[in-house]
Amino acid sequence: MIHALREVFDRRDLLYMLAWRDIQVKYKQSIMGMLWAIFMPLVIVCAGLMVRYALAVVSGTPFSILDLTSVAVKAVPWAFFVSALRFGTNSMVANVNLVTKIYLPRLIFPLAAVLSQLFDFLVATAVVTLLLIVAGAGLSVHLLWLPLLIAPLVLLASALAIISSAGSLFFRDVKYIVEAFLTFAIFFTPVFYDSSLFGTWGPLLLINPVSPLLEGISATVIMHQSPSLPWLGYSGVVSVLLLILSLAVFKKLEPFFAESI
């Protein structure tokens, strides 16, 4: 595993080049340009607002600006996770000519896909930051937790992208399985709502390792509180273990990549 990561680090210039190429290809000849970076988070926010408004009507509680900002700060990292996994899964198949004809660390392809989605994440984060300023969300020392909340999310997205990209070379069905997984995953992830809404059943939602990270981001940015350290530790450990597992599986399958195409 260390050798694989060292290979990628030694070819980091190629990693950046492939990530930048993916960004350029994505926006080439598009009418909306960089606005596509905020389109998906915007769709999630709109869907989330409808859900929050319906919950407010049913429960008889007023709908507040806090509901809007809470959904927005969760929608952006969730959109990154979904896009990173989707593009990462297709990265090996999309670069099949490079995979078979040129020697380079194949691990670069899913990692470049995740890196290119980080660009969209930064663009969307800038827009959400403006929204928070307008909403008067304010600043606090708890914002220093954000890097520790984003890093496991990137590791988790990278781990799943690595293993699904390798699987898609052997079975094209993997792409459709991932799409189906992503379609339903949002219902089991507290993006539109808070896990506390389910009372004693709320911790079950936090077993999904993405959930504590989104809840932590909302707590630090909106509520100006520290995230739950046990659940943050849980997500961090799961992310690291999944990354180790994905790298081991990827290296195990790599000798068979060329003959599987």
Side-chain angles (χ1 to χ4, degrees):
M1 185 188 74
I2 299 297
H3 177 69
L5 293 177
R6 185 175 298 165
E7 274 190 328
V8 172
F9 180 77
D10 291 340
R11 303 297 297 274
R12 57 189 180 280
D13 54 339
L14 181 60
L15 174 65
Y16 299 146
M17 187 187 72
L18 288 174
W20 182 242
R21 185 205 60 178
D22 288 346
I23 293 170
Q24 289 180 312
V25 168
K26 185 176 180 181
Y27 296 116
K28 186 178 182 181
Q29 295 180 336
S30 67
I31 296 175
M32 291 176 59
M34 291 296 176
L35 290 178
W36 283 112
I38 62 171
F39 180 74
M40 186 173 176
L42 186 61
V43 170
I44 297 174
V45 169
C46 291
L49 288 181
M50 287 190 288
V51 172
R52 295 293 283 258
Y53 181 73
L55 291 174
V57 170
V58 170
S59 62
T61 56
F63 184 77
S64 66
I65 189 69
L66 191 65
D67 295 310
L68 168 63
T69 53
S70 177
V71 173
V73 298
K74 290 180 179 178
V76 171
W78 174 252
F80 157 74
F81 177 78
V82 169
S83 299
L85 183 50
R86 180 174 289 139
F87 281 87
T89 299
N90 297 326
S91 60
M92 296 284 281
V93 174
N95 291 284
V96 68
N97 289 333
L98 293 176
V99 171
T100 56
K101 296 179 180 177
I102 301 175
Y103 176 76
L104 47 80
R106 275 85 175 238
L107 195 58
I108 277 182
F109 296 113
L111 293 181
V114 174
L115 191 60
S116 68
Q117 297 312 306
L118 269 176
F119 177 81
D120 285 1
F121 175 71
L122 293 175
V123 173
T125 297
V127 175
V128 170
T129 301
L130 291 176
L131 171 65
L132 293 174
I133 292 173
V134 172
L139 301 173
S140 76
V141 70
H142 298 291
L143 293 177
L144 295 175
W145 284 103
L146 284 178
L148 293 178
L149 291 162
I150 300 300
L153 188 67
V154 175
L155 290 182
L156 191 60
S158 300
L160 295 177
I162 288 169
I163 201 164
S164 60
S165 67
S168 65
L169 274 182
F170 296 91
F171 305 103
R172 297 299 190 266
D173 311 69
V174 171
K175 178 177 72 173
Y176 302 110
I177 293 173
V178 169
E179 288 293 337
F181 166 76
L182 291 175
T183 299
F184 291 102
I186 196 168
F187 296 108
F188 304 98
T189 310
V191 181
F192 297 160
Y193 49 80
D194 298 326
S195 61
S196 58
L197 182 68
F198 294 87
T200 56
W201 294 95
L204 285 178
L205 285 173
L206 299 180
I207 294 175
N208 172 358
V210 179
S211 300
L213 303 176
L214 299 186
E215 294 267 274
I217 291 171
S218 179
T220 55
V221 176
I222 305 300
M223 306 302 294
H224 298 300
Q225 300 172 351
S226 298
S228 168
L229 294 183
W231 282 112
L232 175 58
Y234 164 77
S235 292
V237 169
V238 171
S239 300
V240 171
L241 290 179
L242 273 178
L243 183 63
I244 293 172
L245 176 65
S246 66
L247 289 173
V249 172
F250 192 92
K251 294 305 292 182
K252 191 80 172 178
L253 296 176
E254 191 170 11
F256 307 103
F257 283 169
E259 62 188 64
S260 68
I261 298 172

